[in-house]
């Protein structure tokens, strides 16, 4: 996706990549604005998924935010310095998503 | 309006708790607060407006014509709430509503990663609508979104899909969105209209009412604008999203012939249905609305549900649109005030009379739209076996049909045990209506008879650490102390 009108930018990382997005965006919107279409892999087949409904209904935009997994990216406002990671499959108790 | 930014600012008790800050919730909260009641307005989203007036106070879209005049009406609803004492909690999820010992309700809240239980005398659910699931092969590919999702990204963040964009489906919102995205600079390469031609026969009887409705002028303008400029294809009978790992195109069938249109974004829309999860989990009775073709909470003329003290206002109790949602919210608030003993019945009726008149006017012509844009059967119950129906657990239409026919699964609740269908984090929001259609079709019974998922709180996932950190109530301590 591309932006109609750029605004104040916030810095964040996605899987270690430094990115910026507009202050006021949700995490899911920030990822879309950076051309990231897939942000999780499903627990069943491992297929890539990305934001689908953008309104908290579908849970396909689940991501790991600052080490906390299963967050709905479309409901979380982006903050400066957020560390966002792909949610890979199931949560593992000893992994990064605990 | 008192903005609540952390869970500690939420009071122990409110006269009325309103769930959802769309048109119905904003109007209900404003009216209740104007009547002197203490009000909590809790909303999952970061800013008020719901989906239709999404980001009305924060949108970066400044050209008013892009989103159309109707969108900007949402500002008045927020302005009305501002001077009141209503507590407004954005980013706050209500995951449970249950009766308490005092004759009111206990609500489970989650805000900023912390949970709380609070009490409210009356509850108004204004949880609004969601898009009807529209399962086609490949609809889980990154690059495929709902049309509403694209509209939210536009309103809230000023985002427009990059590259070649295809919009597919049926309903007035499809034309509205196509027009909005085009005005915002999207490259729309096709608008694929799946409206079944025979729907006109069913809808024509409701046409005279539509002629006198506020929808007519609006609708004609939308159609003229969209049809004139955009590459429309009507009579679409089948769709499949193509690609491996990500979307590369869409295969469209019309008049028995198929063609593949290369695209980078595919936006799906098959109308909207009430978001019923919280009402269902609270135990409110629901029925299958044969005209709107969806499960709908059963409410009376005051939008009171089957559970005394819980009202359901707005599109969450049947799709009527933004204008009617706000009016329903006000009516529900008046009745809640009456139940709390703060308004006499005669006063309530007097206040409600002009609102009801406006409500009737705003709903005139609705039936025509519902009949005309009723989705074709093949989009309600996908014919291709490989089509994923439950996006969370990746359960296909073929598996559901097999369970219904060969294994004799009679309803969606039993289907959960066999296939884990509806047991993922979305809790049936994206598969429920389709599962019902598939079982009904396979067993040759009606959707009403097939029934719907019995949902339970929490209706949104809440972490164990949040639950473990809940301050214990006296009753909870007594339950474990001997």
């Amino acid at each position: 996706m591309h932006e109609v009108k750029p605004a104040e930018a916030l810095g964040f990382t996605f899987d270690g990549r430094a990115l910026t997005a507009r202050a006021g965006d949700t995490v899911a919107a920030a990822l879309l604005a950076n051309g990231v279409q897939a942000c999780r892999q499903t627990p069943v087949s491992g297929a890539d998924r990305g934001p689908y409904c953008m309104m908290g209904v579908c849970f396909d935009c689940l991501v790991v935010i600052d080490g906390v997994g299963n967050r709905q990216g479309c409901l979380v406002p982006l903050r400066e310095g957020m560390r966002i990671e792909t949610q890979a499959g199931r949560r593992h108790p000893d992994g990064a998503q605990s | 309006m008192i903005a609540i930014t952390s869970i500690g600012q939420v009071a122990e008790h409110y006269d009325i708790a309103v769930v959802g800050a769309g048109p119905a919730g904003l109007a209900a909260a404003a009216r209740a607060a104007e009547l002197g009641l203490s009000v909590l307005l809790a909303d999952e989203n970061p800013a008020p407006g719901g989906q239709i007036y999404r980001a009305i106070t924060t949108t970066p879209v400044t050209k008013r014509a892009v989103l159309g005049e109707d969108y900007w009406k949402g500002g008045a609803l927020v302005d009305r709430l501002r001077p009141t004492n209503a507590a407004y909690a954005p980013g706050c999820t209500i995951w449970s509503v249950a009766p308490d010992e005092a004759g009111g309700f206990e609500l489970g809240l989650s805000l900023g990663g912390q949970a709380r239980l609070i009490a409210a005398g009356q509850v108004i659910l204004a949880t609004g609508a969601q898009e009807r699931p529209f399962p086609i092969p490949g609809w889980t590919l990154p690059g495929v979104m709902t049309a509403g999702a694209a509209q939210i990204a536009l309103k809230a963040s000023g985002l427009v899909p990059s590259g070649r964009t295809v919009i597919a489906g049926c309903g007035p919102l499809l034309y509205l969105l196509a027009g909005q995205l085009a005005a915002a600079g999207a490259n729309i390469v096709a608008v694929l209209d799946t409206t079944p031609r025979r729907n006109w026969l069913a809808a024509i009887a409701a046409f005279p009412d539509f002629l006198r409705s506020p929808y007519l002028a609006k609708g004609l303008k939308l159609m003229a604008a969209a049809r004139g400029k955009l590459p429309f294809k009507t009579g679409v009978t089948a769709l499949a999203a193509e690609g491996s790992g990500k979307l590369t195109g869409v295969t469209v069938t019309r008049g028995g012939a198929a063609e593949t249109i290369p695209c980078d974004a595919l936006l799906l829309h098959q109308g909207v249905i009430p978001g019923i999860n919280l009402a269902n989990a609270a135990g409110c009775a629901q029925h299958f609305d044969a005209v709107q073709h969806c499960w709908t909470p059963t409410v009376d003329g005051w939008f009171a549900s089957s559970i005394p003290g819980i009202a359901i206002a707005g599109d969450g109790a049947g799709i009527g649109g933004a204008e009617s949602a706000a009016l329903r919210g006000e009516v529900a608030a008046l009745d809640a005030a009456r139940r709390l003993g703060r308004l006499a019945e005669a006063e309530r009726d007097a206040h409600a009379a002009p609102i009801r008149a406006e409500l009737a006017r705003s709903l005139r012509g609705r039936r025509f739209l519902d009949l005309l844009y009723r989705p074709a059967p093949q989009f309600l119950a996908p014919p291709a076996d490989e089509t994923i129906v439950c996006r969370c657990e990746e359960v296909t239409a073929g598996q559901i049909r097999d369970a219904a026919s060969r294994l004799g699964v009679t309803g969606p609740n039993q289907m959960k045990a066999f296939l884990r269908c509806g047991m993922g984090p979305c809790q049936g929001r994206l598969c429920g209506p389709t599962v019902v259609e598939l079982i009904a079709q396979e067993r040759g019974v009606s959707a009403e008879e097939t029934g719907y998922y019995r949902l339970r709180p929490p209706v949104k996932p809440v972490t164990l650490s949040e639950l473990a950190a809940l301050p214990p109530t006296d009753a909870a301590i007594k339950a474990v102390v001997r």
Side-chain angles (χ1 to χ4, degrees):
Chain A
M1 289 206 169
H2 61 268
E3 285 186 58
V4 169
K5 180 175 166 260
E8 188 205 336
L10 295 180
F12 67 102
T13 64
F14 178 64
D15 288 342
R17 237 177 346 134
L19 301 171
T20 60
R22 185 188 147 271
D25 280 355
T26 60
V27 165
L31 293 176
L32 288 174
N34 280 281
V36 177
Q37 284 189 319
C39 62
R40 77 170 184 123
Q41 284 127 24
T42 63
V44 179
S45 71
D48 280 341
R49 293 278 177 87
Y52 177 72
C53 80
M54 291 297 277
M55 56 176 279
V57 170
C58 77
F59 290 75
D60 263 330
C61 65
L62 291 180
V63 283
V64 183
I65 300 177
D66 293 332
V68 180
N70 283 322
R71 309 256 353 240
Q72 287 185 275
C74 71
L75 294 178
V76 179
L78 185 73
R79 303 247 182 267
E80 177 66 36
M82 254 183 182
R83 193 160 48 82
I84 302 163
E85 291 162 280
T86 296
Q87 168 135 342
R90 290 184 198 282
R91 294 182 66 187
H92 298 288
D94 53 347
Q97 297 168 36
S98 59
Chain B
M1 190 169 92
I2 303 150
I4 290 194
T5 51
S6 77
I7 197 92
Q9 294 169 281
V10 182
E12 303 260 308
H13 176 271
Y14 293 90
D15 292 329
I16 297 187
V18 180
V19 186
L26 286 167
R31 175 61 80 148
E34 286 161 9
L35 290 167
L37 299 163
S38 67
V39 178
L40 172 69
L41 173 61
D43 186 71
E44 266 187 339
N45 291 291
Q51 304 311 331
I52 196 78
Y53 300 129
R54 177 87 183 205
I56 185 70
T57 56
T58 56
T59 182
V61 179
T62 47
K63 263 206 267 169
R64 289 176 78 90
V66 167
L67 295 174
E69 276 315 303
D70 278 350
Y71 171 74
W72 301 98
K73 287 181 187 166
L77 285 167
V78 182
D79 289 343
R80 182 175 164 194
L81 193 69
R82 277 190 215 282
T84 71
N85 286 324
Y88 162 62
C92 178
T93 299
I94 304 282
W95 42 264
S96 161
V97 174
D100 68 11
E101 287 167 355
F105 296 90
E106 181 192 74
L107 280 78
L109 277 68
S110 190
L111 173 62
Q114 288 182 293
R116 271 278 297 282
L117 295 173
I118 64 144
Q122 295 281 309
V123 176
I124 298 176
L125 304 180
T127 50
Q130 65 163 74
E131 277 171 291
R132 190 191 295 274
F134 184 179
I136 58 169
W139 72 315
T140 54
L141 286 168
V144 182
M145 298 176 95
T146 68
Q151 196 188 37
I152 287 164
L154 174 62
K155 288 173 181 169
S157 303
L159 291 173
V160 178
S162 302
R164 297 158 299 182
T165 300
V166 173
I167 304 180
C170 156
L173 279 179
L174 189 78
Y175 312 126
L176 173 68
L177 179 79
Q180 287 176 337
L181 284 177
N187 174 23
I188 295 171
V189 296
V191 182
L192 308 175
D193 196 331
T194 65
T195 310
R197 293 211 167 95
R198 65 177 175 279
N199 278 11
W200 281 99
L201 288 175
I204 208 78
F207 193 63
D209 231 19
F210 181 69
L211 282 176
R212 299 185 296 130
S213 87
Y215 293 113
L216 180 66
K218 230 182 260 181
L220 286 177
K221 228 164 90 182
L222 273 177
M223 290 294 277
R227 291 241 176 175
K229 290 183 207 139
L230 299 171
F232 259 79
K233 287 179 194 284
T234 58
V236 171
T237 54
L239 289 162
E242 307 291 347
S244 154
K246 83 184 258 265
L247 177 79
T248 53
V250 55
T251 298
V252 47
T253 308
R254 303 166 69 212
E259 65 165 321
T260 300
I261 303 170
C263 63
D264 307 291
L266 172 61
L267 309 176
L268 299 176
H269 179 76
Q270 203 67 262
V272 295
I273 57 173
I276 58 172
N277 277 41
L278 189 53
N280 181 321
C284 301
Q286 60 189 19
H287 64 278
F288 192 80
D289 182 320
V291 177
Q292 294 191 333
H293 206 84
C294 55
W295 288 93
T296 307
T298 304
V299 294
D300 69 11
W302 296 95
F303 307 105
S305 76
S306 63
I307 296 182
I310 300 182
I312 306 169
D315 279 1
I319 305 304
E323 204 180 322
S324 76
L327 299 166
R328 289 172 178 184
E330 289 214 43
V331 172
L334 288 170
D335 192 46
R338 196 265 311 164
R339 282 176 184 268
L340 288 165
R342 304 289 273 270
L343 206 57
E345 202 168 302
E347 280 180 288
R348 176 201 67 173
D349 294 354
H351 283 305
I355 304 170
R356 285 188 182 287
E358 234 185 303
L359 184 57
R361 190 193 55 82
S362 80
L363 289 172
R364 194 183 292 150
R366 186 79 227 174
R367 191 179 159 82
F368 174 76
L369 294 177
D370 292 338
L371 292 167
L372 179 60
Y373 294 117
R374 200 163 157 177
Q378 70 270 27
F379 296 120
L380 293 171
D385 276 346
E386 73 274 17
T387 307
I388 286 176
V389 171
C390 172
R391 295 174 65 99
C392 296
E393 295 292 332
E394 296 177 76
V395 180
T396 65
Q399 287 173 290
I400 294 166
R401 267 193 286 267
D402 178 58
S405 58
R406 194 170 56 83
L407 303 176
V409 172
T410 56
N413 290 303
Q414 206 185 357
M415 194 66 78
K416 285 187 189 176
F418 280 77
L419 298 174
R420 285 197 54 82
C421 194
M423 291 182 75
C426 100
Q427 292 167 306
R429 288 170 174 89
L430 265 291
C431 67
T434 312
V435 168
V436 172
E437 295 291 341
L438 286 167
I439 298 175
Q441 194 182 67
E442 203 64 20
R443 297 184 56 83
V445 299
S446 68
E448 182 86 58
E449 196 181 323
T450 304
Y452 194 71
Y453 289 134
R454 170 74 181 92
L455 302 169
R456 289 181 181 82
V459 295
K460 279 286 184 101
V462 50
T463 66
L464 204 50
S465 64
E466 281 182 68
L467 289 179
L470 278 176
T473 61
D474 289 344
I477 292 168
K478 272 190 211 131
V480 290
V481 175
R482 286 167 195 248

